[in-house]
Structure formats: structure tokens, C-alpha cells
Amino acid sequence: MAGAKLDDIDRKILAELQADGRMTNVELARRVGISAPPCLRRVRTLEELGYIRGYHADIDARELGFEVQVFAMVRLASQSERDLSAFEALVQEWPLVRECHMLNGEIDFILKCISPDLSTFQRFLTNSLTAAPNVASVKTSLVIRGAKDEPAVPFEIVEERVREAG
């Protein structure tokens, strides 16, 4: 399987684990139509190849008191690779930042932040983000409500592309 395209069973394994990462190997094997030992070998191989990066619980941040979600659009003064990497390293140290994506265009990075309240986010914004080296400007947008939050890969499109290629 290494270096080769994923087969139907591999894609089924990924789709099933994405939907429910807590199922047993026996249940996974049943769902994808193979026995448990080869299923476990395939899962381990998918992990080793980087298709499966980890297993996580989907935690409701609001239930834990994180009432505020903000997107911060960051423009840097310099976009040299050294400065971009330095900013990315700094972001790793900020627990309120849950996602960081480099963009092309007028904005260099978009950060998805969560906070227990506005005053905590404001302190982070003032003391950390806008005060960070090389940050030229920050624009923020407070999330009013979310209409969709689907971190998963759309396997129906993967399967459609496989059918079209085959």
C-alpha cells in the first residue's frame, strides 16, 4: 500500500474511523467487510503513512465555558520566509489560538481563536497578538453563530472522483 493509491477498503476504513474513531477494530473490520487482523494492519499502515494523524474527541467548547469565538486576520510587516516561520512558531505558544492558516492576498494569516469571555480575548489581542514582532495589523470578527463546523473529509466526493478516474 505504501506509495500506492488507496483501495476501496482503505477508503472505507478512513470514512468509518472519521465518523466514529472509538469503535473497536472488530467492529471496524465488520463494517468494511474484512477480518480483524488485516484490518488492524491496514489501520496501522494508514497511520504510518500519515493518512490518519490522530484520534480526538469532539469537545463542545461552549460547554466548558469558552463562549467567545473570534477570527483574527493578521497582516505582517514582512513576508520573508524567516518572518512567516517566526510568526507560526509564536502562534504555537498561544492557547487561545486553535487554528492558524497562512493565506495569499492582503491578509497573511487567519487565526481561529476561542476565549471564555471578551475581556480575556481583548487582553490576548492587546498584550500578545498586536504586540507580537512583525505584526502590522489585526482585524477581528466575532462569531455570532456557526452554521456548519465539519472538520471531516467529504468521502462522498473522494468516491465520486475515484469512480470518474476508473
Side-chain angles (χ1 to χ4, degrees), residues 40-98:
L40 184 58
R41 282 193 298 274
R42 283 177 178 258
V43 169
R44 296 290 184 247
T45 301
L46 290 166
E47 291 169 347
E48 290 166 7
L49 292 173
Y51 287 100
I52 299 172
R53 296 187 304 188
Y55 301 89
H56 311 278
D58 185 6
I59 306 296
D60 187 333
R62 287 187 185 269
E63 289 295 323
L64 291 173
F66 290 89
E67 297 293 329
V68 175
Q69 186 176 73
V70 178
F71 286 95
M73 284 82 40
V74 180
R75 190 171 56 80
L76 301 181
S78 165
Q79 291 78 28
S80 72
E81 185 56 40
R82 181 180 190 175
D83 291 329
L84 294 169
S85 295
F87 182 76
E88 289 171 331
L90 188 57
V91 166
Q92 297 297 323
E93 299 174 13
W94 294 331
L96 294 184
V97 177
R98 305 316 301 160

Side-chain angles (χ1 to χ4, degrees), residues 1 9 30 68 114 120 130:
M1 192 166 65
I9 299 293
R30 187 192 65 73
V68 175
I114 63 170
T120 301
T130 59

